[in-house]
Short mmCIF file of all heavy atoms in Angstrom, two decimals:
data_model
loop_
_atom_site.label_atom_id
_atom_site.label_comp_id
_atom_site.label_asym_id
_atom_site.label_seq_id
_atom_site.Cartn_x
_atom_site.Cartn_y
_atom_site.Cartn_z
N ASN A 1 -16.47 17.32 -11.20
CA ASN A 1 -16.77 17.51 -9.87
C ASN A 1 -17.17 18.87 -9.42
O ASN A 1 -17.25 19.22 -8.31
CB ASN A 1 -15.63 17.11 -8.90
CG ASN A 1 -15.42 15.53 -9.04
OD1 ASN A 1 -16.16 14.83 -8.27
ND2 ASN A 1 -14.57 15.08 -9.79
N GLY A 2 -17.33 19.75 -10.41
CA GLY A 2 -17.82 21.15 -10.15
C GLY A 2 -16.84 22.02 -9.54
O GLY A 2 -17.15 22.93 -8.77
N ILE A 3 -15.60 21.78 -9.79
CA ILE A 3 -14.44 22.53 -9.16
C ILE A 3 -13.86 23.49 -10.03
O ILE A 3 -13.49 23.17 -11.17
CB ILE A 3 -13.40 21.65 -8.54
CG1 ILE A 3 -14.03 20.74 -7.40
CG2 ILE A 3 -12.21 22.38 -8.04
CD1 ILE A 3 -13.18 19.68 -6.95
N ASP A 4 -13.84 24.69 -9.68
CA ASP A 4 -13.07 25.81 -10.46
C ASP A 4 -11.68 25.74 -10.15
O ASP A 4 -11.17 26.27 -9.18
CB ASP A 4 -13.67 27.24 -10.13
CG ASP A 4 -13.04 28.35 -10.78
OD1 ASP A 4 -11.99 28.18 -11.48
OD2 ASP A 4 -13.57 29.42 -10.71
N LEU A 5 -10.90 25.05 -10.95
CA LEU A 5 -9.43 24.75 -10.67
C LEU A 5 -8.63 26.06 -10.73
O LEU A 5 -7.71 26.09 -9.91
CB LEU A 5 -8.88 23.64 -11.67
CG LEU A 5 -7.60 23.02 -11.14
CD1 LEU A 5 -7.82 22.31 -9.84
CD2 LEU A 5 -7.15 22.04 -12.26
N ASP A 6 -9.04 26.98 -11.42
CA ASP A 6 -8.33 28.25 -11.51
C ASP A 6 -8.35 28.87 -10.06
O ASP A 6 -7.31 29.26 -9.53
CB ASP A 6 -9.00 29.16 -12.48
CG ASP A 6 -8.25 30.47 -12.77
OD1 ASP A 6 -8.48 31.52 -12.05
OD2 ASP A 6 -7.38 30.46 -13.69
N HIS A 7 -9.61 28.90 -9.51
CA HIS A 7 -9.72 29.51 -8.13
C HIS A 7 -8.89 28.58 -7.14
O HIS A 7 -8.26 29.16 -6.35
CB HIS A 7 -11.21 29.50 -7.83
CG HIS A 7 -11.50 29.85 -6.43
ND1 HIS A 7 -11.43 31.06 -5.94
CD2 HIS A 7 -11.84 29.05 -5.35
CE1 HIS A 7 -11.76 31.14 -4.60
NE2 HIS A 7 -11.98 29.85 -4.27
N GLU A 8 -9.07 27.41 -7.20
CA GLU A 8 -8.35 26.53 -6.13
C GLU A 8 -6.92 26.49 -6.33
O GLU A 8 -6.23 26.51 -5.28
CB GLU A 8 -8.85 25.06 -6.42
CG GLU A 8 -10.34 24.88 -6.02
CD GLU A 8 -10.74 25.18 -4.63
OE1 GLU A 8 -9.83 25.05 -3.74
OE2 GLU A 8 -11.78 25.52 -4.42
N VAL A 9 -6.35 26.68 -7.54
CA VAL A 9 -4.83 26.78 -7.64
C VAL A 9 -4.50 28.11 -7.12
O VAL A 9 -3.41 28.16 -6.35
CB VAL A 9 -4.43 26.70 -9.15
CG1 VAL A 9 -3.01 26.97 -9.27
CG2 VAL A 9 -4.65 25.15 -9.53
N THR A 10 -5.11 29.22 -7.40
CA THR A 10 -4.81 30.50 -6.79
C THR A 10 -4.80 30.47 -5.28
O THR A 10 -3.80 30.96 -4.68
CB THR A 10 -5.76 31.59 -7.35
OG1 THR A 10 -5.65 31.64 -8.81
CG2 THR A 10 -5.44 32.94 -6.75
N ARG A 11 -5.90 29.89 -4.72
CA ARG A 11 -6.08 29.84 -3.25
C ARG A 11 -4.93 29.07 -2.68
O ARG A 11 -4.27 29.41 -1.56
CB ARG A 11 -7.41 29.27 -2.99
CG ARG A 11 -7.89 29.38 -1.56
CD ARG A 11 -9.26 29.02 -1.43
NE ARG A 11 -9.32 27.53 -1.57
CZ ARG A 11 -9.79 26.73 -0.66
NH1 ARG A 11 -10.29 27.15 0.44
NH2 ARG A 11 -9.79 25.44 -0.90
N LYS A 12 -4.54 27.88 -3.33
CA LYS A 12 -3.51 27.08 -2.75
C LYS A 12 -2.04 27.72 -2.81
O LYS A 12 -1.32 27.60 -1.88
CB LYS A 12 -3.47 25.71 -3.57
CG LYS A 12 -2.54 24.69 -2.99
CD LYS A 12 -2.76 24.26 -1.60
CE LYS A 12 -1.76 23.10 -1.18
NZ LYS A 12 -2.03 22.85 0.30
N ILE A 13 -1.82 28.38 -3.87
CA ILE A 13 -0.52 29.01 -4.07
C ILE A 13 -0.41 30.23 -2.87
O ILE A 13 0.66 30.30 -2.19
CB ILE A 13 -0.39 29.71 -5.40
CG1 ILE A 13 -0.04 28.57 -6.48
CG2 ILE A 13 0.75 30.74 -5.41
CD1 ILE A 13 -0.03 29.06 -7.80
N GLU A 14 -1.52 30.87 -2.73
CA GLU A 14 -1.53 31.94 -1.57
C GLU A 14 -1.31 31.24 -0.25
O GLU A 14 -0.55 31.85 0.49
CB GLU A 14 -2.77 32.70 -1.70
CG GLU A 14 -2.94 33.62 -2.88
CD GLU A 14 -4.28 34.22 -3.08
OE1 GLU A 14 -5.27 33.75 -2.31
OE2 GLU A 14 -4.44 35.04 -4.01
N LYS A 15 -1.84 30.04 -0.01
CA LYS A 15 -1.70 29.35 1.26
C LYS A 15 -0.29 28.86 1.43
O LYS A 15 0.28 29.06 2.46
CB LYS A 15 -2.66 28.15 1.18
CG LYS A 15 -2.68 27.41 2.57
CD LYS A 15 -3.70 26.34 2.56
CE LYS A 15 -3.81 25.56 3.79
NZ LYS A 15 -4.85 24.51 3.80
N ASN A 16 0.32 28.39 0.31
CA ASN A 16 1.67 27.80 0.41
C ASN A 16 2.68 28.94 0.60
O ASN A 16 3.66 28.82 1.36
CB ASN A 16 2.00 27.16 -0.89
CG ASN A 16 1.39 25.82 -1.02
OD1 ASN A 16 0.85 25.28 -0.03
ND2 ASN A 16 1.42 25.25 -2.15
N VAL A 17 2.39 30.18 0.21
CA VAL A 17 3.31 31.26 0.33
C VAL A 17 3.29 31.63 1.84
O VAL A 17 4.40 32.09 2.36
CB VAL A 17 2.90 32.48 -0.58
CG1 VAL A 17 3.54 33.77 -0.11
CG2 VAL A 17 3.26 32.21 -2.01
N ARG A 18 2.21 31.56 2.44
CA ARG A 18 2.13 31.92 3.96
C ARG A 18 2.69 30.90 4.84
O ARG A 18 3.11 31.14 6.01
CB ARG A 18 0.76 32.14 4.32
CG ARG A 18 -0.07 33.38 3.76
CD ARG A 18 -1.33 33.75 4.36
NE ARG A 18 -2.24 32.52 4.34
CZ ARG A 18 -3.03 32.30 3.30
NH1 ARG A 18 -3.08 33.03 2.19
NH2 ARG A 18 -3.87 31.19 3.33
N ARG A 19 2.86 29.64 4.34
CA ARG A 19 3.45 28.60 5.21
C ARG A 19 4.88 28.81 5.58
O ARG A 19 5.70 29.37 4.71
CB ARG A 19 3.26 27.28 4.51
CG ARG A 19 1.84 26.77 4.60
CD ARG A 19 1.75 25.43 3.89
NE ARG A 19 0.37 24.91 4.18
CZ ARG A 19 -0.08 23.83 3.51
NH1 ARG A 19 0.64 23.20 2.59
NH2 ARG A 19 -1.29 23.31 3.84
N GLU A 20 5.29 28.43 6.69
CA GLU A 20 6.78 28.52 7.06
C GLU A 20 7.25 27.15 7.37
O GLU A 20 6.63 26.27 7.82
CB GLU A 20 6.90 29.37 8.34
CG GLU A 20 6.43 30.87 8.13
CD GLU A 20 6.55 31.72 9.32
OE1 GLU A 20 7.14 31.31 10.32
OE2 GLU A 20 5.90 32.80 9.32
N TYR A 21 8.63 26.94 7.00
CA TYR A 21 9.32 25.67 7.15
C TYR A 21 10.54 25.89 7.75
O TYR A 21 11.22 26.85 7.64
CB TYR A 21 9.44 24.99 5.74
CG TYR A 21 8.22 24.72 5.03
CD1 TYR A 21 7.56 25.65 4.24
CD2 TYR A 21 7.72 23.38 5.01
CE1 TYR A 21 6.33 25.30 3.62
CE2 TYR A 21 6.56 23.05 4.40
CZ TYR A 21 5.84 24.07 3.63
OH TYR A 21 4.61 23.69 3.04
N GLU A 22 10.98 24.78 8.44
CA GLU A 22 12.34 24.68 9.04
C GLU A 22 12.85 23.33 8.67
O GLU A 22 12.11 22.36 8.64
CB GLU A 22 12.37 24.90 10.58
CG GLU A 22 11.99 26.37 11.02
CD GLU A 22 11.99 26.37 12.56
OE1 GLU A 22 12.34 25.46 13.24
OE2 GLU A 22 11.69 27.55 13.00
N ARG A 23 14.15 23.30 8.54
CA ARG A 23 14.75 21.99 8.16
C ARG A 23 14.95 21.16 9.41
O ARG A 23 15.48 21.72 10.37
CB ARG A 23 16.02 22.18 7.41
CG ARG A 23 15.75 22.82 5.98
CD ARG A 23 16.99 22.63 5.02
NE ARG A 23 16.66 23.31 3.83
CZ ARG A 23 16.14 22.63 2.79
NH1 ARG A 23 15.76 21.21 2.88
NH2 ARG A 23 15.94 23.18 1.65
N ASN A 24 14.65 19.92 9.36
CA ASN A 24 14.91 19.02 10.56
C ASN A 24 16.38 18.64 10.48
O ASN A 24 17.15 18.99 9.64
CB ASN A 24 13.91 17.86 10.63
CG ASN A 24 14.14 16.88 9.52
OD1 ASN A 24 15.08 16.86 8.78
ND2 ASN A 24 13.17 16.00 9.28
#
């Protein structure tokens, strides 16, 4: 599908690090 998975994984990890969670 023409996806650079290295780039996408790096981008996703950076996004996940910025996310904030609280327990319900």
Side-chain angles (χ1 to χ4, degrees):
N1 289 280
I3 294 171
D4 177 349
L5 201 55
D6 190 272
H7 171 75
E8 294 298 330
V9 168
T10 299
R11 195 171 71 121
K12 183 63 176 177
I13 289 172
E14 290 169 354
K15 183 176 183 178
N16 287 347
V17 166
R18 291 189 306 272
R19 287 179 168 169
E20 295 178 16
Y21 295 82
E22 291 179 4
R23 294 197 180 270
N24 68 13

